[in-house]
Amino acid sequence: MSVSNHENRKSRSSSGSMNIQLFHKTSHADSLLTHLNLLRKRRIFTDVVLRAGNRAFHCHRAVLASCSRYFEAMFSGGMRESQDQEVNFHDSLHPEVLELLLDYAYSARVIINEENAESLLEAGDMLQFHDIRDASAEFLEKNLHPSNCLGMMLLSDAHQCQRLYELSWRMCLANFASLYRTEDFLHLPKDKLQELIFSEELEVEDESLVYEAVIDWVKSDVERKLGDLPELLRCVRLALLPESYLLKNVASEDRICSFL
């Protein structure tokens, strides 16, 4: 049928008004992803290889760019990788975690559990799979506990998960009396320890506990942390300590004198 004949037929059938119908197949998106995933597994039309560790993943640039601003910028900008047929993450990304991200890109599904949630959050943030980062943060929020809140505080702070950070921060303040005796506490960065002990919301029955926490933190690596002691002690409310405690533990104790 010629274009002119088609136009004539359309005008005759319309009688001055156009009858239209919207066809929308709701399963089309799932069907499309399923077929793209099959093409990926068969390495049909794939145009880039992602490498992590000793594994290689054949993918479609268009799919990756549609799911990740990281890949969109990489493939569309002036970066060297925009022309390369291979992107190698070396050991900066675990291959099993990358596989989970790719499975999500091609299926809109991923299983998050206690073993992979932190890694997925980190990788999701790194590759800008923001939905994965946020879903992993939500999972960790639901599994937040005094035993892991220090680690969650640092993780969420590094990857800009504001709600997880606020929840873990409050839990750290509320459980400081037990947390300062843990290995996680001894590995806190100085700035985070300083923020904790300086907070007006720190829940401790006795300021001597804060003093002991600072001393224990320094003693865990005296050579590296000794220079931080004076600044940390300024955050301890020494005026709240009994005079007897000050004389015994602060003014005359050998360990504190040697540090200062």
Side-chain angles (χ1 to χ4, degrees), residues 11-195:
S11 63
R12 289 196 301 270
S13 63
S14 62
S15 301
S17 64
M18 181 67 74
N19 294 318
I20 62 174
Q21 174 183 332
L22 172 65
F23 172 69
H24 178 210
K25 185 178 181 180
T26 56
S27 62
H28 174 70
D30 284 342
S31 176
L32 180 64
L33 279 178
T34 299
H35 192 63
L36 282 170
N37 205 16
L38 288 174
L39 293 175
R40 172 175 72 114
K41 292 177 179 179
R42 295 171 183 169
R43 300 185 184 181
I44 299 175
F45 304 132
T46 55
D47 52 6
V48 68
V49 178
L50 305 184
R51 294 189 180 277
N54 60 355
R55 294 186 61 186
F57 303 90
H58 294 256
C59 306
H60 304 92
R61 292 171 186 260
V63 174
L64 297 178
S66 298
C67 299
S68 158
R69 293 180 183 177
Y70 175 93
F71 285 116
E72 182 181 12
M74 175 183 288
F75 298 145
S76 63
M79 300 175 66
R80 175 176 55 83
E81 291 87 349
S82 63
Q83 302 300 322
D84 288 349
Q85 300 301 307
E86 180 177 299
V87 178
N88 197 333
F89 293 105
H90 301 285
D91 295 323
S92 65
L93 192 60
H94 196 284
E96 291 182 6
V97 177
L98 178 57
E99 184 175 28
L100 288 173
L101 291 179
L102 294 177
D103 286 343
Y104 171 76
Y106 281 86
S107 71
R109 295 172 176 84
V110 65
I111 294 176
I112 303 173
N113 56 40
E114 293 181 4
E115 286 71 34
N116 65 27
E118 293 182 37
S119 297
L120 279 173
L121 188 152
E122 293 173 331
D125 188 47
M126 170 185 168
L127 300 184
Q128 297 184 44
F129 280 72
H130 292 151
D131 289 343
I132 295 295
R133 181 199 62 187
D134 295 343
S136 300
E138 184 177 349
F139 176 89
L140 292 170
E141 288 170 16
K142 295 175 182 177
N143 290 273
L144 192 61
H145 188 270
S147 64
N148 64 21
C149 61
L150 284 170
M152 291 301 103
M153 177 184 68
L154 297 179
L155 179 72
S156 57
D157 188 38
H159 297 285
Q160 301 177 336
C161 301
Q162 188 60 34
R163 178 175 165 79
L164 177 60
Y165 179 79
E166 291 174 357
L167 292 173
S168 56
W169 172 257
R170 289 201 293 269
M171 189 171 288
C172 289
L173 292 172
N175 294 275
F176 186 86
S178 59
L179 292 177
Y180 90 92
R181 301 181 183 277
T182 66
E183 282 295 317
D184 283 348
F185 178 84
L186 298 179
H187 290 95
L188 276 178
K190 190 236 349 182
D191 62 329
K192 284 301 171 190
L193 171 59
Q194 196 170 4
E195 287 181 42

Side-chain angles (χ1 to χ4, degrees), residues 169-231:
W169 172 257
R170 289 201 293 269
M171 189 171 288
C172 289
L173 292 172
N175 294 275
F176 186 86
S178 59
L179 292 177
Y180 90 92
R181 301 181 183 277
T182 66
E183 282 295 317
D184 283 348
F185 178 84
L186 298 179
H187 290 95
L188 276 178
K190 190 236 349 182
D191 62 329
K192 284 301 171 190
L193 171 59
Q194 196 170 4
E195 287 181 42
L196 280 172
I197 63 176
F198 195 68
S199 173
E200 294 290 342
E201 298 177 358
L202 185 67
E203 296 183 24
V204 290
E205 294 183 0
D206 192 327
E207 194 68 16
S208 63
L209 186 148
V210 182
Y211 168 78
E212 292 294 337
V214 168
I215 296 302
D216 288 351
W217 183 85
V218 172
K219 287 178 64 179
S220 67
D221 190 349
V222 174
E223 185 175 342
R224 184 173 63 88
K225 298 177 178 178
L226 180 60
D228 297 326
L229 183 58
E231 187 175 356

